[in-house]
């Protein structure tokens, strides 16, 4: 009734009009366990907008913007020169996204489907960078990467693999060397 007649009859048989209602739904793939079928009537009468996960380039742009915003207007923090310089900030953002993509692939190849790493993981990683004062920025980035990606992982081999991905990616993108 809501979709067809833009309202419904209440318990006193009075028609109640409903306008400008938006429904936001998060949907999983069709082969995911526990998935329910959406009625065809609902989908044919509704206007549907599908937004997929961002690709690597979009994630890099998001990550770079988050890095810039996280350190702006922070009077008590030493803003790293790597964040002030746009090219270096984009380089850090690219390396962070590459770490996310590589770790996700490594975790899946190990058969660990319980670990979920996403754009939210990147956001938490960036937010936690402001906890550090007076240290090399690359060290802070590395330590937080190990916290976000390594801490949830069980098993020494998986952790070593994630640690290798983080160190090799950051060493590849940045001049400062890291202790492995």
């Amino acid at each position: 009734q809501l979709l067809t007649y833009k309202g419904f009859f209440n318990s006193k048989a009075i028609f109640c009009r409903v306008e400008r209602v938006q429904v936001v739904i998060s949907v999983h793939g069709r082969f995911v366990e526990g998935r329910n079928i959406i009625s065809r009537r609902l989908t044919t009468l509704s206007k549907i907008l599908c937004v997929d996960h961002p690709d690597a380039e979009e994630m890099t742009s998001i990550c770079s913007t988050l890095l810039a915003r996280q350190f702006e207007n922070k009077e008590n923090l030493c803003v790293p020169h790597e964040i002030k310089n746009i090219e270096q900030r984009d380089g850090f953002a690219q390396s962070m996204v590459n770490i996310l993509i590589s770790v996700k692939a490594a975790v899946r190849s190990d058969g660990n489907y319980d670990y979920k790493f996403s754009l939210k993981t990147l956001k938490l990683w960036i937010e936690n960078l402001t906890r550090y004062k007076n240290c090399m920025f690359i060290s802070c980035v590395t330590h937080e990467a190990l916290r976000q990606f390594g801490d949830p992982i069980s098993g020494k081999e998986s952790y070593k693999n994630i640690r290798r991905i983080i160190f090799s990616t950051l060493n590849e993108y940045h001049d400062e060397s890291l202790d492995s």
Side-chain angles (χ1 to χ4, degrees):
Q1 285 180 336
L2 283 174
L3 292 173
T4 307
Y5 301 110
K6 308 284 190 252
F8 63 95
F9 288 98
N10 67 11
S11 59
K12 298 179 182 175
I14 299 173
F15 189 76
C16 299
R17 189 165 199 75
V18 178
E19 296 178 355
R20 289 180 254 162
V21 174
Q22 291 183 345
V23 178
V24 179
I25 301 171
S26 176
V27 182
H28 293 285
R30 58 190 276 189
F31 299 111
V32 175
E33 187 177 326
R35 180 180 177 267
N36 295 317
I37 305 295
I38 299 174
S39 78
R40 289 189 181 186
R41 184 170 181 214
L42 175 66
T43 57
T44 57
L45 295 174
S46 302
K47 295 177 183 172
I48 298 174
L49 170 68
C50 178
V51 179
D52 203 3
H53 293 282
D55 62 12
E57 186 177 320
E58 292 167 334
M59 281 196 296
T60 301
S61 176
I62 293 167
C63 191
S64 180
T65 303
L66 285 173
L67 278 167
R69 287 193 178 161
Q70 189 65 28
F71 287 96
E72 75 182 1
N73 301 325
K74 301 284 186 189
E75 296 172 9
N76 62 338
L77 293 172
C78 176
V79 178
H81 69 279
E82 294 93 343
I83 299 301
K84 291 179 183 175
N85 182 324
I86 294 172
E87 289 81 23
Q88 283 185 312
R89 183 175 61 232
D90 288 345
F92 264 99
Q94 180 66 46
S95 62
M96 293 171 96
V97 169
N98 286 345
I99 288 170
L100 172 72
I101 292 168
S102 299
V103 167
K104 283 171 68 171
V107 166
R108 285 196 185 124
S109 70
D110 289 344
N112 295 323
Y113 294 100
D114 296 334
Y115 305 112
K116 304 290 183 203
F117 299 116
S118 65
L119 199 53
K120 183 178 180 182
T121 310
L122 281 179
K123 180 180 173 283
L124 291 172
W125 184 6
I126 292 167
E127 286 175 351
N128 288 338
L129 291 175
T130 57
R131 298 182 318 134
Y132 302 93
K133 296 177 181 140
N134 301 328
C135 68
M136 288 182 11
F137 185 66
I138 188 76
S139 298
C140 303
V141 170
T142 306
H143 181 72
E144 278 304 316
L146 289 170
R147 284 187 68 231
Q148 294 299 321
F149 296 107
D151 285 357
I153 298 296
S154 62
K156 288 182 181 180
E157 286 305 312
S158 295
Y159 182 81
K160 283 181 184 178
N161 191 24
I162 288 172
R163 184 180 163 95
R164 183 191 51 76
I165 290 168
I166 292 169
F167 279 94
S168 64
T169 304
L170 289 175
N171 276 328
E172 179 183 326
Y173 278 86
H174 309 288
D175 296 336
E176 302 170 37
S177 87
L178 299 167
D179 297 326
S180 51

